[in-house]
Amino acid sequence: MRAEVDGVSAVRAVPGPVIDVRPEGDRAVVTVRGDLDLDAARPLERGLRTALVSSVHGVDLDLSEVGFCDCAALNVLLAARQRALTEGKTLDLTATAPIVDRVLDLTGTRSLFADPDGTAEQGADVEDLRELRVEVVQLRRAMQTRPVIDLARGILMASFGLCSEEAWRVLVTASQHAHTKLHHLAQDIVSTAEGGEPREQIREQLAAAVARVRAESP
């Protein structure tokens, strides 16, 4: 069951934990109260997914009021962390209950999340370090998507007789007008070149972008 009061969304399983999701700047803050067991895995996953979608840079997770935590809940946290990474975001544990600390320590997964007590950040600006972590995540994602983007540029150059810079501008322009991420568009172009069926919207946006770039070229 979901309710929203003053911009705060609550996801509640019956019976189960209460999961509050609220925006805070460019991040979302998730506070969990209650037990995190197998029955709570689904509402926890939904709450974290909602928080990731609504945030710009990621999620700050407060588990200080959790009374029980098992590996089912940990698997949800690890999956959410991986989802955040693929979206260029972070999932930070800002506070944890003793039972959560025990699970993290026994499984050796604490290092995958930010230090809840901030002890690893003593003498440094916490916000600067957080922004740096986001930049590292985004850089890692860029490195993962760069090969398919370069391949798509090559396909556009060969298909339309464009130079490298023009092909890049076509990709950017088509991505913006199709409201799709650039690496997703690049993957569509590569898939089409490999024999896939191009989506009508993508084909039209590419044609319009090529015409626009050619018209702007000296």
Side-chain angles (χ1 to χ4, degrees):
M1 180 172 62
R2 184 187 303 273
E4 186 165 327
V5 180
D6 296 333
V8 177
S9 174
V11 181
R12 184 185 183 94
V14 182
V18 173
I19 303 171
D20 294 326
V21 181
R22 62 181 175 83
E24 187 169 296
D26 56 12
R27 299 180 68 81
V29 176
V30 177
T31 303
V32 181
R33 304 178 185 88
D35 294 344
L36 291 180
D37 52 17
L38 183 60
D39 292 334
R42 189 176 294 263
L44 177 62
E45 190 276 337
R46 287 199 301 264
L48 292 176
R49 185 183 294 273
T50 297
L52 279 172
V53 169
S54 64
S55 70
V56 177
H57 286 159
V59 174
D60 293 330
L61 182 58
D62 183 348
L63 301 181
S64 61
E65 298 183 57
V66 170
F68 176 83
C69 181
D70 62 13
C71 287
L74 177 60
N75 287 335
V76 172
L77 297 180
L78 292 174
R81 173 186 176 273
Q82 185 59 44
R83 188 180 303 115
L85 291 176
T86 61
E87 296 178 5
K89 303 176 183 180
T90 61
L91 176 65
D92 293 349
L93 289 179
T94 58
T96 51
I99 185 61
V100 178
D101 292 333
R102 178 174 172 77
V103 172
L104 293 174
D105 292 338
L106 287 175
T107 57
T109 54
R110 180 181 294 278
S111 61
L112 298 178
F113 302 95
D115 185 353
D117 300 322
T119 55
E121 300 176 347
Q122 290 179 354
D125 188 283
V126 175
E127 189 61 32
D128 285 346
L129 289 177
R130 173 178 289 168
E131 291 178 0
L132 179 60
R133 285 199 300 271
V134 171
E135 290 178 5
V136 169
V137 169
Q138 293 173 338
L139 178 59
R140 183 185 296 118
R141 182 182 180 189
M143 292 174 65
Q144 293 171 343
T145 58
R146 180 62 183 269
V148 71
I149 292 175
D150 286 344
L151 186 55
R153 289 175 69 181
I155 293 172
L156 291 176
M157 292 168 64
S159 300
F160 297 100
L162 305 172
C163 68
S164 179
E165 176 61 28
E166 289 172 336
W168 172 252
R169 287 162 55 196
V170 166
L171 276 175
V172 173
T173 301
S175 172
Q176 292 172 343
H177 284 79
H179 303 292
T180 186
K181 293 183 178 180
L182 196 146
H183 70 276
H184 289 164
L185 173 63
Q187 185 60 63
D188 283 343
I189 293 172
V190 172
S191 298
T192 299
E194 293 175 346
E197 184 66 25
R199 287 186 290 158
E200 184 66 25
Q201 181 189 22
I202 297 300
R203 184 168 56 238
E204 293 176 356
Q205 292 296 344
L206 280 176
V210 169
R212 189 176 294 108
V213 168
R214 282 175 171 167
E216 294 173 351
S217 299

